[in-house]
């Protein structure tokens, strides 16, 4: 039997009992004859608590030091988990990201993995030990400083390690039983998907379904790593994330819609009164790119004939809002726009499904459901298998539930259980 990589999220190791429960699970897997490599997140909401603490000390903590602080969270859980496994009579060793060979670029707070050299992990499992690795962290190839890979990125550590070790599966253990048709915290009638394609999972993750980190899905697709998302609070089967949901010999047609996702992490900036001239939009987005701000949706209104001026609105990660506003303020005279508006009371709701390609009328049905629920659409964007809208933050839950119901996704009997976590 081969290597199994198991990733346990913060809610699974929230307290000492959780750590002991997870240790027992690891030992059970070992007893079945597998070599086990574990990736663990910080306990409960530790990462958020550490962030809050830093912000109490200074509103803009230096990124290097913030990474140094946040990586401490995973050090705590990995050491405690190794102790718990040892107490059950199995050798276990914990490793920081750097010790595990997670080599990254040097962008603090959102570093990308550029290589994995898991020599020490391989040696540990060769000796029959359980290797426990701190998720979410690595070491910069250039500066040798400790880096973090972005919020929720322990999933990516796990899949990247699974790929580097040639593991047979990467199990992602969390506080819900798998990937559902919507966040069970908002839609109790959400249904668990038995399997979901990389393509649909990528769109769901990119649209804010934080059950899986986007880059972990990209990794899984590129290196062909099967992911099994399941709960650590029960032994039931979860959701398999696999290349294609259609199995050979399948007679039943694939579902048209995979699910509804929502995202509360975006903000909207409107550049008001931009002169309607060639090159203005390019200039605006060039300065944003130079500031490393990722843009999501963009809308440019038709210019008013009388003024020959137009408004350009776009969405971006809320946390990049101040950087973006400052960058745009610097080019006000050069571009000649009137003013900037910043709105962080927005949310994004997305409908995802590969069947959209071949079924007309999905957009109309989506918008009709929102209208019937009294939800106003502020912006729209689409891909081949996704439709997203920006709505008022206060209407996200209503919009998600109305869409879920309109597309007949509600389960007859509630099957979604949220076992733990605070949803933070
Ligand atoms: P962990 O700490 O284990 O990494 P996360 O909080 O990052 O857990 O992700 C699990 C949470 O993702 C669930 O508790 C749930 O609220 C949320 N979630 C959002 N969309 C979905 C979905 N489509 N299916 C399941 N869970 C979802
Ligand atoms: N502890 C980190 C976070 O809260 C990483 C993770 O949980 O995946 O973002
Ligand atoms: Mg997570």
């Amino acid at each position: 039997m081969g290597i199994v990589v198991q990733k346990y999220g913060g809610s699974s190791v929230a307290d000492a009992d959780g750590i002991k429960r997870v240790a027992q699970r690891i030992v059970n897997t070992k007893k079945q004859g597998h070599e086990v490599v574990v990736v663990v997140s910080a306990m409960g909401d530790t990462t958020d608590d550490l962030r809050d603490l830093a912000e109490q000390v200074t509103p803009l903590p230096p990124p290097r030091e913030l990474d140094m602080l946040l990586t401490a969270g995973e050090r705590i859980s990995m050491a405690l988990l190794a102790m718990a496994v040892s107490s059950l009579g199995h050798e276990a060793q914990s490793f920081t990201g750097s010790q595990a060979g997670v080599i990254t670029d040097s962008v603090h707070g959102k570093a990308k993995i550029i290589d994995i050299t898991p020599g020490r992990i391989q040696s540990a499992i060769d000796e029959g030990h359980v290797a426990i690795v701190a998720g979410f962290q690595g070491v910069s190839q250039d500066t040798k400083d400790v880096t973090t890979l972005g919020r929720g990125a322990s999933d990516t550590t796990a899949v990247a390690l699974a790929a580097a070790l040639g593991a047979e599966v990467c199990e992602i253990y969390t506080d819900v039983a798998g990937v559902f048709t919507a966040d069970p915290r908002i839609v109790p009638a959400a249904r668990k998907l038995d399997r979901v394609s990389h393509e649909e999972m990528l769109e769901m993750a990119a649209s804010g379904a934080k059950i899986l980190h986007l880059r972990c899905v990209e990794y899984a697709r590129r290196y062909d790593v099967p992911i099994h998302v399941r709960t650590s609070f029960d032994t039931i089967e979860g959701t398999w994330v696999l290349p294609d949901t259609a199995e050979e010999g399948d007679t039943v047609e694939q579902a048209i819609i995979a699910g509804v996702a929502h995202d509360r992490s975006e903000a909207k900036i409107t550049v008001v009164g931009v002169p309607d001239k060639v090159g203005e939009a390019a200039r605006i987005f060039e300065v944003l790119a130079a500031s490393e701000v990722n843009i999501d949706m963009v809308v440019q209104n038709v210019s008013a004939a009388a003024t020959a001026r137009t408004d350009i609105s776009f969405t971006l990660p809320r946390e990049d809002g101040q950087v973006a506003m400052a960058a745009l303020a610097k080019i006000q005279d050069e571009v000649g726009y009137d003013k900037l508006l910043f709105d962080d009371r927005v949310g994004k709701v997305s409908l995802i499904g590969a069947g959209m390609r071949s079924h007309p009328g999905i957009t109309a049905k989506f918008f009709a459901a929102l209208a019937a629920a009294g939800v106003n659409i502020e912006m729209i964007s689409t891909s081949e298998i996704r439709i997203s809208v920006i709505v008022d933050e206060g209407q996200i839950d209503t919009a998600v539930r109305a869409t879920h119901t309109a597309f007949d996704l509600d389960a007859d009997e509630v099957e979604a259980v949220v076992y733990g976590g605070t949803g933070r």
Side-chain angles (χ1 to χ4, degrees):
M1 274 195 245
I3 301 174
V4 172
V5 174
Q6 300 186 326
K7 178 259 171 175
Y8 292 93
S11 50
S12 296
V13 291
D15 51 23
D17 283 343
I19 287 175
K20 289 189 205 167
R21 187 172 45 79
V22 164
Q24 189 59 59
R25 224 182 154 114
I26 293 168
V27 167
N28 293 347
T29 313
K30 188 110 204 308
K31 281 188 185 153
Q32 287 163 10
H34 295 284
E35 292 168 311
V36 190
V37 174
V38 176
V39 172
V40 70
S41 295
M43 295 171 71
D45 291 334
T46 301
T47 310
D48 288 298
D49 296 343
L50 290 172
R51 262 201 90 101
D52 292 350
L53 194 57
E55 270 161 29
Q56 284 168 37
V57 172
T58 165
L60 277 180
R64 178 187 185 277
E65 303 313 322
L66 187 60
D67 273 0
M68 199 61 117
L69 178 72
L70 296 187
T71 52
E74 270 73 10
R75 273 199 179 218
I76 295 171
S77 52
M78 73 178 193
L80 290 170
L81 190 54
M83 292 174 198
V85 172
S86 302
S87 78
L88 296 173
H90 289 259
E91 294 274 352
Q93 279 179 323
S94 63
F95 299 90
T96 62
S98 169
Q99 290 173 327
V102 180
I103 316 293
T104 72
D105 62 20
S106 51
V107 185
H108 286 291
K110 45 183 167 187
K112 293 229 162 53
I113 298 176
I114 48 184
D115 196 12
I116 302 247
T117 50
R120 293 189 67 181
I121 306 303
Q122 189 65 57
S123 308
I125 53 178
D126 288 348
E127 285 167 36
H129 300 172
V130 173
I132 299 177
V133 179
F136 167 67
Q137 56 177 265
V139 62
S140 158
Q141 191 170 48
D142 297 339
T143 63
K144 311 291 178 226
D145 281 330
V146 165
T147 53
T148 62
L149 312 176
R151 297 306 308 270
S154 293
D155 299 341
T156 299
T157 306
V159 176
L161 257 181
L165 293 165
E168 60 188 38
V169 61
C170 182
E171 296 181 327
I172 305 281
Y173 284 95
T174 183
D175 52 15
V176 290
V179 180
F180 285 73
T181 47
D183 185 342
R185 284 179 205 271
I186 296 189
V187 184
R191 272 186 281 153
K192 188 174 77 191
L193 302 169
D194 293 331
R195 48 193 292 168
V196 60
S197 65
H198 285 146
E199 182 183 42
E200 287 173 322
M201 196 61 235
L202 280 171
E203 289 281 6
M204 286 175 83
S207 304
K210 68 175 183 141
I211 182 78
L212 284 180
H213 193 239
L214 175 61
R215 270 160 36 218
C216 100
V217 190
E218 288 169 350
Y219 242 100
R221 179 166 68 168
R222 188 165 349 131
Y223 295 99
D224 214 5
V225 180
I227 298 181
H228 186 189
V229 185
R230 55 198 308 198
T231 178
S232 67
F233 296 82
D234 199 325
T235 52
I236 45 175
E237 275 276 298
T239 303
W240 287 88
V241 186
L242 297 167
D244 195 327
T245 49
E247 274 170 344
E248 223 170 292
D250 264 0
T251 47
V252 189
E253 223 186 315
Q254 196 192 341
I256 299 169
I257 300 299
V260 186
H262 70 280
D263 192 344
R264 299 181 203 275
S265 69
E266 293 202 349
K268 183 174 80 172
I269 290 180
T270 303
V271 190
V272 181
V274 181
D276 199 358
K277 292 193 309 228
V278 171
E280 297 288 67
R283 188 68 197 115
I284 287 171
F285 290 101
E286 269 163 16
V287 295
L288 294 168
S291 308
E292 306 257 348
V293 173
N294 277 319
I295 305 301
D296 185 13
M297 293 189 201
V298 182
V299 170
Q300 175 170 341
N301 292 336
V302 180
S303 63
T307 58
R309 281 173 181 265
T310 182
D311 296 346
I312 297 178
S313 296
F314 59 90
T315 60
L316 73 172
R318 234 174 248 187
E319 59 186 21
D320 291 343
Q322 293 321 313
V323 173
M325 290 292 278
L328 290 173
K330 283 199 195 124
I331 57 164
Q332 177 162 19
D333 292 342
E334 184 190 330
V335 173
Y337 65 80
D338 291 338
K339 60 178 174 184
L340 296 174
L341 300 176
F342 182 72
D343 182 1
D344 61 359
R345 307 252 330 129
V346 295
K348 185 167 73 173
V349 176
S350 306
L351 183 67
I352 292 129
M356 247 179 234
R357 284 196 187 98
S358 50
H359 285 79
I362 304 288
T363 309
K365 193 167 170 182
F366 182 26
F367 293 176
L370 295 174
V375 176
N376 184 43
I377 300 172
E378 295 183 23
M379 289 167 95
I380 301 166
S381 87
T382 60
S383 83
E384 239 194 334
I385 65 163
R386 174 187 51 80
I387 311 165
S388 302
V389 295
I390 295 292
V391 301
D392 183 84
E393 189 181 46
Q395 291 193 306
I396 297 175
D397 294 11
T398 307
V400 171
R401 288 190 201 113
T403 309
H404 199 265
T405 304
F407 284 90
D408 291 329
L409 297 172
D410 292 353
D412 297 333
E413 275 174 48
V414 171
E415 57 182 69
V417 180
V418 178
Y419 295 92
T422 59
R424 191 172 171 186

